[in-house]
Amino acid sequence: MSPLQIIRIPILPFGIVNAHLIRGEAGCILVDAGIPGSEHKIGRALARHGLTFGDIRLIVITHAHTDHAGSAARLRQLSGAPILAHSGDADFYSRRRPMTYCPTGPVGRLFFRTPLPHQPYEGFVPDMMMHDSEQVNLSAFGVAGTVRHTAGHTPGSISVELASRDALVGDLVASGILIGGLARIGHAIRPPFEDDPAKVALELERLVQNGAERFYLGHGGPLGASEVLRHANALAALTSARCAEGDCGHAH
């Protein structure tokens, strides 16, 4: 086995929603948990690689949208692994506050009117709660890498930066037609929802400057660094678009 594997787990067809498994020499880390009920698909993906839920040493949830956090509580029960997340989204994880959404365009507005973004999930309190710009070293979980706060998509969005020059960034960026693998999978786009494009642009630029070469996404992907940087530069011109739709639940 190679020192490190990144296994994409399609939760919905065509890469529309992805979870990822980082398989290191001393353990596995699950990044995102999919929509409610995704534990069955994740379990089958583990079995295909000769693994079980017990091989998961850590569950990283990149942000609180239901397609990333929906099965987190159930997967914690099945694996016994702790959940790592950021306090910026804590009230959403615990269900103390309803999730807010800032559509980025027609696809986001259409998606917002479907049941999927509003699908309820079992609330939870992360076992490991990051605060502000705190970083978490993953070496204790058998993987060479770091988790950092990368706000912009949601207040508490986080990303995984690996020593292998791979980055797992949740919804900081998406790719493809209709956010998936139908066509143009190598073309970066904005996800359906995004709180602050200026912050996202800064975080994507920093990731590239820090040496990330391959970006694994919650929707579509993966993408190379040059395409991510092109997208970040385009986002930087959209700073006035923050919460532009006015129906996201944020103060305006």
Side-chain angles (χ1 to χ4, degrees):
M1 185 184 74
S2 61
L4 182 76
Q5 273 185 293
I6 298 177
I7 300 166
R8 183 168 75 167
I9 304 175
I11 302 300
L12 294 179
F14 306 113
I16 293 174
V17 175
N18 302 309
H20 291 88
L21 187 71
I22 305 170
R23 186 177 188 179
E25 291 184 318
C28 296
I29 295 174
L30 180 67
V31 181
D32 286 329
I35 60 177
S38 296
E39 65 271 14
H40 305 294
K41 290 185 178 180
I42 292 170
R44 289 194 292 269
L46 288 165
R48 284 195 296 271
H49 291 272
L51 301 167
T52 69
F53 288 115
D55 290 300
I56 298 174
R57 299 186 60 188
L58 179 69
I59 301 167
V60 177
I61 303 300
T62 61
H63 62 285
H65 287 161
T66 190
D67 53 337
H68 294 257
S71 294
R74 179 60 178 149
L75 286 163
R76 178 168 61 184
Q77 293 172 354
L78 291 168
S79 67
I83 294 174
L84 171 65
H86 194 278
S87 61
D89 281 6
D91 284 350
F92 304 135
Y93 291 128
S94 67
R95 320 308 289 160
R96 285 194 294 267
R97 289 175 54 203
M99 192 71 231
T100 55
Y101 297 91
C102 295
T104 56
V107 172
R109 290 192 292 271
L110 177 63
F111 195 37
F112 185 77
R113 290 176 172 84
T114 70
L116 183 59
H118 313 287
Q119 189 173 2
Y121 61 83
E122 182 182 350
F124 61 91
V125 175
D127 305 276
M128 301 172 61
M129 188 82 82
M130 297 172 62
H131 298 277
D132 301 323
S133 58
E134 179 184 2
Q135 302 176 20
V136 174
N137 190 317
L138 295 175
S139 60
F141 302 96
V143 170
T146 304
V147 181
R148 301 175 191 265
H149 185 209
T150 50
H153 180 65
T154 66
S157 288
I158 56 178
S159 296
V160 179
E161 300 177 54
L162 299 175
S164 60
R165 297 189 180 276
D166 298 295
L168 295 87
V169 299
D171 284 1
L172 281 191
V173 59
S175 81
I177 298 296
L178 295 178
I179 59 166
L182 295 178
R184 301 191 78 192
I185 58 175
H187 178 73
I189 61 172
R190 298 175 75 186
F193 311 109
E194 182 175 75
D195 284 5
D196 193 331
K199 285 185 178 179
V200 171
L202 288 172
E203 294 297 347
L204 291 174
E205 290 170 5
R206 182 192 60 75
L207 285 160
V208 172
Q209 291 167 359
N210 279 4
E213 296 177 353
R214 292 164 296 276
F215 288 71
Y216 293 84
L217 320 177
H219 307 288
L223 293 173
S226 60
E227 176 61 14
V228 170
L229 190 58
R230 179 203 64 78
H231 178 69
N233 290 335
L235 276 185
L238 297 177
T239 54
S240 62
R242 183 177 186 269
C243 298
E245 297 303 320
D247 58 357
C248 56
H250 295 139
H252 295 281

